[in-house]
Amino acid sequence: MNTITLLQPDDWHAHLRDGPALQRTVPDLANQFARAICMPNLVPPVKTVEEANAYRERILAHVPEGVHFDPRMVLYLTNNTAPSEVLKIKQSDYVNAIKLYPAGATTNSDSGVSDISKVYGVIEQLEEHQVPLLLHGEVTHNHVDIFDREKRFLDEVLSPLLRQFPKLKLVLEHITTSEAAHFVLEHDRHVAATITPQHLLFNRNDMLVGGIKPHFYCLPILKRQTHQQTLLEVATSGSPKFFLGTDSAPHSKDAKENACGCAGCYSAPTAIELYAQAFDQVGKIERLEGFASHFGADFYGLPRNTNTITLVKEDQVIPESLDYLDGEKIIPLHAGKTIQWRKV
């Protein structure tokens, strides 16, 4: 198959940042996706429906003329989030979920939840109103090996949580392990997961062999090839429990290539082509539309898009760098490499 036409896809997990960064991030995302779940880990974080609506307006100001893009918003769950905020989400036109970051788990997560039992009042309301809880699924204890943090989260946090709240609707974000994939499969329709292009295309060897490559460094971190293989299997299986979420995150070249380099891969400009590459490599390109365009919208209770995009099997070289803030550069995911699909 050399050409494939899809309903326009959505990105159910993306980082746009704020302020001048939006000049770069919004057009890149809007030229690929009809909708995106816009992560709330700004400084300060987006904690109320009112703040989310204001952030949405700032995003919309940077959508290119003639492009339809619908930012879907998320609130940042803190130890102090009022349970009453959940009903406001349910009644909102544009806010779709609430995001739990374990404190210290990733970029701008210092305001995150330190003990999940402290937010049981909010989670009870989420279950009652069927508002999705989005989870960065890692424990953050210093003594836990970074490659084991997702599995430990499943065992120590998420399994007990679902016993307490069995009808909670949740998305385990950017899963990276076989254990997470099987956890999602073993639970009912209320539990789903997003998968990034980097975790489908690469594993920890790509990041570490022949020298550390900071532009592959993300959190949760890339895992063994066996985990990558499982993620490819479930993403291309046709299961509606797995859908597209890039976790695209802009960081300047200087911030990545640093003694304390930050975590995140910037995939937004060529995300759908990267997913096409992954699906095609395992002979499942015909399954891409469900993963990219159907299952996320269905899970969130939103209508599927009606516009289409077309991908052709034609080589393109991902740019070595992209302009960013004040003359800085972003190095996109797989920079300088040739992929076999292109959006037309």
Side-chain angles (χ1 to χ4, degrees):
M1 186 181 295
N2 294 319
T3 303
I4 183 169
T5 296
L6 319 169
L7 289 181
Q8 189 171 9
D10 301 307
D11 185 349
W12 300 103
H13 185 121
H15 297 269
L16 293 168
R17 310 298 186 220
D18 205 356
L22 298 176
Q23 298 172 26
R24 168 87 259 168
T25 60
V26 175
D28 283 347
L29 204 65
N31 285 324
Q32 289 258 316
F33 300 105
R35 291 173 290 213
I37 286 280
C38 303
M39 287 293 116
N41 58 331
L42 308 181
V43 181
V46 178
K47 295 186 287 188
T48 67
V49 168
E50 184 179 13
E51 291 170 355
N53 287 333
Y55 180 34
R56 185 174 188 272
E57 290 303 313
R58 298 196 297 274
I59 292 168
L60 287 171
H62 294 278
V63 176
E65 187 175 348
V67 173
H68 173 74
F69 180 64
D70 179 13
R72 311 306 302 184
M73 312 310 293
V74 182
L75 303 192
Y76 189 118
L77 183 60
T78 75
N79 290 342
N80 300 312
T81 298
S84 59
E85 201 69 29
V86 175
L87 183 57
K88 295 179 185 178
I89 297 173
K90 185 70 173 180
Q91 295 170 339
S92 167
D93 290 332
Y94 304 114
V95 184
N96 288 97
I98 196 161
K99 177 68 183 280
L100 190 157
Y101 292 97
T106 188
T107 304
N108 299 339
S109 62
D110 294 342
S111 299
V113 173
S114 59
D115 179 348
I116 200 164
S117 66
K118 293 183 177 180
V119 295
Y120 272 8
V122 176
I123 293 173
E124 187 177 62
Q125 290 296 301
L126 292 172
E127 184 182 46
E128 179 179 335
H129 294 291
Q130 287 295 283
V131 171
L133 174 65
L134 314 186
L135 288 161
H136 181 113
E138 293 187 288
V139 299
T140 56
H141 316 304
N142 289 334
H143 67 276
V144 177
D145 189 293
I146 192 169
F147 292 102
D148 297 333
R149 291 182 173 190
E150 185 169 277
K151 183 181 186 307
R152 291 283 292 271
F153 183 88
L154 300 173
D155 296 341
E156 298 171 13
V157 180
L158 195 49
S159 291
L161 182 70
L162 286 173
R163 285 195 293 270
Q164 181 87 8
F165 302 100
K167 295 302 179 185
L168 180 65
K169 191 171 186 176
L170 68 87
V171 180
L172 193 56
E173 301 279 15
H174 42 52
I175 62 170
T176 65
T177 60
S178 300
E179 290 87 356
H182 292 137
F183 183 95
V184 172
L185 287 170
E186 288 162 5
H187 284 79
D188 68 13
R189 60 185 178 83
H190 292 90
V191 178
T194 56
I195 308 178
T196 75
Q198 62 264 29
H199 291 104
L200 293 177
L201 287 167
F202 309 110
N203 58 65
R204 66 190 191 180
N205 275 5
D206 295 292
M207 180 176 62
L208 297 172
V209 172
I212 295 172
K213 302 174 185 67
H215 299 287
F216 284 127
Y217 174 53
C218 58
L219 289 173
I221 199 164
L222 295 174
K223 303 298 195 300
R224 291 179 181 273
Q225 185 179 19
T226 53
H227 295 294
Q228 177 194 3
Q229 186 59 40
T230 300
L231 296 181
L232 277 166
E233 288 170 4
V234 298
T236 63
S237 69
S239 169
K241 296 169 76 67
F242 302 95
F243 42 84
L244 187 156
T246 63
D247 196 21
S248 181
H251 295 282
S252 69
K253 180 177 185 288
D254 290 345
K256 292 286 289 179
E257 298 174 7
N258 189 292
C260 189
C262 50
C265 298
Y266 192 64
S267 59
T270 53
I272 194 62
E273 294 102 319
L274 289 165
Y275 281 110
Q277 180 92 357
F279 275 62
D280 194 30
Q281 283 177 359
V282 294
K284 297 287 182 65
I285 191 70
E286 74 281 359
R287 298 274 176 84
L288 179 61
E289 185 176 44
F291 177 84
S293 311
H294 296 172
F295 303 149
D298 296 348
F299 182 86
Y300 278 95
L302 295 169
R304 295 178 181 180
N305 299 316
T306 54
N307 292 341
T308 61
I309 64 165
T310 297
L311 303 174
V312 296
K313 196 164 189 178
E314 184 177 287
D315 285 357
Q316 70 161 315
V317 179
I318 294 178
E320 294 276 3
S321 65
L322 303 165
D323 292 334
Y324 194 40
L325 305 169
D326 299 324
E328 295 178 356
K329 298 289 185 181
I330 291 179
I331 308 301
L333 182 64
H334 218 29
K337 303 298 183 182
T338 300
I339 57 175
Q340 279 72 55
W341 287 88
R342 183 173 62 83
K343 177 175 172 282
V344 295

